[in-house]
Amino acid sequence: MVHWTAEEKQFIISLWGKVNVAECGGEALARLLIVYPWTQRFFSSFGNLSSATAIIGNPKVRAHGKKVLTSFGEAVKNLDNIKATYAKLSELHCNKLHVDPENFRLLGDILIIVLAAHFGREFTPACQAAWQKLVGVVAHALAHQYH
Amino acid sequence: MAPTTLNVDEKQLILHAWEKVLGHQEDFGAEALERMFIVFPPTKTYFPHFDLHHDSEQIRHHGKKVVNALGEAVQHLDSLSATLSQLSDLHAYNLRVDPVNFKLLSHCFQVVLAVHLGDEYTPQVHVAFDKFLAAVSAVLAEKYR
């Protein structure tokens, strides 16, 4: 079980309360596909991903980004039990989706940058540290059931 | 990953965004280092001789050095190897910083850019900088062995 200080929980929960999940999720997924284009390999059914503009405007990207970040919210609600929270999703990503767990780390770093751009100075170094820890724990949990 | 070249648009985006860094080299550099030390504590092992308190003179001075070096690289995007040759020697033979740390500082520098540029740190600017910083990191490590 991961140990969170009261301060870390504060940073995570209070920032999450201000996140527009649909907007941030769409943006995070779009950036993942733009900054690390090889991640597009998982989304051949999403239609036009031919340019940054196409990706940003792609409704399937937005919808899926929202879905992914909504799921991320489960971690925030269950900070003391993240591994169990993602057990089923971990199996899914391994057995059905065949996603290299490195992609979870990439998306985590992208999310950090999206939060930084949205929250500016409020995203202090200490706040960033709490969130880096969270994205790391989520990535680890999603990779946990891999075999 | 081997360095990839920046295309014309990416070079433009970097040059344009860098105008926002000018005048803030010390602030941005210090903030990037501070974020790196706080978020990735093992990076502190390279600075046992530093005062690592918030806003220390040493962090500000070193941050300014780092960002000025990046600024040099920005002015010479077509000749990174030559421009950074001395720094490359320094890191290979003297400092011997494990290259994994270049990624960590690059990430933190991008966070600083995102914090201060906000909406202007568009996905297009983001990928351009990600590529640029990866190219700089590769040059710094190119004489390691």
Side-chain angles (χ1 to χ4, degrees), chain A residues 31 36 117 120 123-124 128 132, chain B residues 35 39 107 114-115 121 126 130:
Chain A
R31 281 181 189 254
Y36 307 115
F123 197 63
T124 61
Q128 181 188 346
Q132 296 273 181
Chain B
R35 282 181 185 273
V39 179
H107 173 68
V115 162
Y121 201 66
H126 181 166
D130 200 271

Side-chain angles (χ1 to χ4, degrees), chain B residues 1-119:
Chain B
M1 185 184 306
T4 47
T5 47
L6 296 160
N7 66 38
V8 166
D9 293 328
E10 287 164 342
K11 289 179 189 175
Q12 261 310 110
L13 288 171
I14 290 169
L15 281 161
H16 185 70
W18 200 258
E19 285 168 29
K20 297 272 155 55
V21 177
L22 296 176
H24 302 282
Q25 290 92 327
E26 192 175 295
D27 282 338
F28 285 15
E31 189 181 333
L33 286 173
E34 186 179 16
R35 282 181 185 273
M36 186 184 71
F37 293 141
I38 289 172
V39 179
F40 306 110
T43 56
K44 293 187 290 185
T45 57
Y46 291 98
F47 298 90
H49 53 299
F50 262 38
D51 167 12
L52 296 179
H53 288 102
H54 173 64
D55 243 18
S56 83
E57 188 48 49
Q58 283 179 307
I59 292 187
R60 297 196 68 77
H61 185 250
H62 195 69
K64 186 175 176 180
K65 246 203 302 192
V66 169
V67 176
N68 280 338
L70 287 177
E72 267 301 290
V74 167
Q75 298 309 318
H76 298 93
L77 293 172
D78 290 326
S79 53
L80 288 182
S81 246
T83 305
L84 298 172
S85 182
Q86 281 185 312
L87 275 177
S88 199
D89 287 339
L90 186 73
H91 284 77
Y93 306 125
N94 200 304
L95 303 176
R96 291 173 293 188
V97 173
D98 192 294
V100 78
N101 296 285
F102 301 148
K103 264 198 194 179
L104 303 181
L105 183 56
S106 296
H107 173 68
C108 288
F109 186 69
Q110 288 199 66
V111 169
V112 171
L113 290 178
V115 162
H116 293 276
L117 270 60
D119 281 343

Side-chain angles (χ1 to χ4, degrees), chain A residues 71 82-99 101 104 138-147:
Chain A
S71 169
I82 292 179
K83 211 170 265 177
T85 302
Y86 286 121
K88 285 262 149 33
L89 266 179
S90 182
E91 282 173 25
L92 180 80
H93 282 77
C94 173
N95 300 331
K96 288 271 155 58
L97 305 176
H98 310 294
V99 176
F104 308 145
V138 170
H140 183 82
L142 280 172
H144 192 253
Q145 300 296 114
Y146 274 56
H147 58 93

